[in-house]
Amino acid sequence: MTATAVVGAVLAGSAACGTVEQLSAGKKLDRAFEKLGKEKTLSFELDLDTDAASLKALDAKSEPEPGEELPDEAADLLSGAKISFTVESTKPIEKSGEKDYVGMAMKVTTPDGDLAEFRQVGDWGYIRTDPKALEKISGEPMPDSKELPPEAGAFKDVLEGKWVKFNTKEMEKAGGQGAGTPSPEPTLDAKTQEKLLDSLREVVSREVEFTTGKSEDGTEHITAVAPFRTLITELIGEIRPLAKDLPPGMELPTDKDLKDAPNAKVTADFALKNGELKEVRVDLAKLAEDAKVKKFGLVLRLGEGQKPTAPAGATELDLEGFLGGFAGPSMDEEGFDETATDPEGFPVEGFPEDAA
């Protein structure tokens, strides 16, 4: 959602130095993103616009090691995979902070059915998976729930595709034990954010070409076209001085990464209906260069927000009991080494030496 908001702000403000058509497109996108920001519940769906043959071709281009090639079954599943996402807040999305979100739901769907689903309602998280579908993607067999000891508890339900739940507050406490007081995450102050957005807008207005058009059903399309390497290099160049203030895990591409990136033109199509953003399509096929790719892109579809609900019949997952009792003495009987160590050399009681 943060990325979407940034893209909206950048595109909306980028037309200041452009043509009349650029200005018109920028204003329309600005209004569309403003409408999204005023909603308290937001739902969208993301899927790959590709086919199995294109995924296999991209995989072959990456030169995987023998035996590590993308399985045909996985390519079939991924080519038809979709991710649906819903978020609910007590305030409009544009004014919401982390504490304002009271519900979230995410589901990964494949042609064979739902692969995995996660929901959070209040302080409770709910999860279920399709073990058979996971086997197809990973190429590895999943554990048999019947072979697990009684101490496994609700983990058996996970392997049987049933809903399980856990208390998110307790998980946070368990994750913080022995770690001391966590350091505050890096953030960008409001003045720096505004300065960064102004810089990104200038790059977009200079490198992106906008056009507008309408389809037969009255949907208005705003198309943005730009050379990929040039655009991404300049955008990253504006962000790089602020890298130390970005949230953890956000690693920027290196200069070598950017130098090797293709400079083919990438197209993004924004579909608006009655001023509301309904769909975004990004065509990335040209970035595949010499790989035999027929089509490869991303599609984002927005729908009416649906309130996340807690599934009925979920079994509670006892995190402390599972991590302590199930992963400890009961497993020692199956040949687990009590003197195993983690990657740092510290002993890990109850786990095999290769578990790290």
Side-chain angles (χ1 to χ4, degrees):
M1 290 194 307
T2 301
T4 303
V6 171
V7 170
V10 170
L11 290 174
S14 66
C17 303
T19 64
V20 174
E21 185 173 20
Q22 299 268 91
L23 182 60
S24 175
K27 284 185 175 180
K28 289 174 181 176
L29 285 175
D30 188 23
R31 294 184 187 124
F33 279 98
E34 278 185 355
K35 287 185 177 182
L36 288 179
K38 296 184 185 305
E39 298 290 339
K40 292 184 178 180
T41 305
L42 184 65
S43 298
F44 61 85
E45 179 183 83
L46 178 69
D47 70 273
L48 285 173
D49 183 20
T50 187
D51 52 35
S54 295
L55 290 178
K56 293 285 288 184
L58 287 171
D59 180 59
K61 182 178 172 61
S62 69
E63 300 180 353
E65 295 293 329
E68 296 184 1
E69 298 87 351
L70 181 68
D72 293 341
E73 296 85 354
D76 289 334
L77 284 175
L78 292 173
S79 64
K82 297 180 180 180
I83 300 176
S84 58
F85 187 85
T86 293
V87 64
E88 179 188 13
S89 175
T90 57
K91 297 179 181 179
I93 299 296
E94 63 184 0
K95 298 180 180 179
S96 295
E98 182 179 350
K99 296 182 179 180
D100 299 316
Y101 293 104
V102 293
M104 191 271 281
M106 183 177 69
K107 180 167 64 175
V108 182
T109 305
T110 70
D112 290 348
D114 297 339
L115 177 65
E117 185 171 3
F118 171 78
R119 300 181 194 177
Q120 182 171 343
V121 181
D123 292 337
W124 287 91
Y126 303 83
I127 189 170
R128 69 183 176 98
T129 64
D130 182 346
K132 296 299 181 184
L134 290 175
E135 285 183 353
K136 285 186 178 181
I137 288 183
S138 65
E140 298 291 337
M142 296 291 288
D144 188 343
S145 63
K146 296 179 181 179
E147 297 179 358
L148 297 180
E151 291 86 350
F155 189 67
K156 287 187 175 183
D157 289 346
V158 174
L159 297 177
E160 293 173 359
K162 300 177 182 178
W163 280 105
V164 298
K165 64 179 182 180
F166 55 91
N167 190 290
T168 56
K169 296 294 184 182
E170 291 182 3
M171 176 173 281
E172 290 176 3
K173 291 179 181 179
Q177 287 180 357
T181 304
S183 302
E185 293 187 359
T187 57
L188 297 178
D189 59 74
K191 186 176 181 180
T192 302
Q193 290 182 40
E194 186 60 32
K195 183 178 179 181
L196 176 60
L197 282 177
D198 287 341
S199 299
L200 298 180
R201 286 167 177 167
E202 290 181 10
V203 173
V204 173
S205 66
R206 185 170 60 248
E207 302 296 343
V208 180
E209 178 182 347
F210 292 96
T211 57
T212 58
K214 288 188 176 182
S215 60
E216 295 180 358
D217 62 356
T219 301
E220 187 168 22
H221 290 267
I222 297 176
T223 303
V225 181
F228 180 76
R229 187 200 309 144
T230 301
L231 178 62
I232 198 68
T233 298
E234 293 195 25
L235 290 175
I236 294 299
E238 297 292 344
I239 299 173
R240 199 179 300 282
L242 305 172
K244 66 180 185 301
D245 297 319
L246 296 177
M250 293 186 63
E251 296 185 7
L252 298 178
T254 65
D255 291 337
K256 184 180 184 302
D257 293 333
L258 297 175
K259 183 179 180 181
D260 295 339
N263 206 34
K265 289 189 175 182
V266 174
T267 302
D269 180 86
F270 299 82
L272 284 68
K273 186 91 172 195
N274 298 323
E276 296 182 356
L277 183 63
K278 294 297 184 181
E279 183 179 276
V280 182
R281 287 180 172 269
V282 183
D283 184 3
L284 303 172
K286 292 183 179 179
L287 299 183
E289 296 181 303
D290 57 343
K292 297 179 180 179
V293 174
K294 294 182 179 180
K295 62 176 181 177
F296 187 76
L298 295 173
V299 183
L300 177 71
R301 300 183 182 89
L302 290 104
E304 294 186 8
Q306 299 178 354
K307 184 177 180 178
T309 58
T315 305
E316 184 174 351
L317 184 64
D318 182 1
L319 296 175
E320 184 177 353
F322 170 69
L323 294 176
F326 169 50
S330 64
M331 284 302 181
D332 185 52
E333 298 176 2
E334 300 297 325
F336 274 46
D337 184 359
E338 294 182 354
T339 61
T341 58
D342 64 11
E344 304 298 327
F346 295 100
V348 182
E349 182 177 353
F351 283 91
E353 292 184 0
D354 60 352

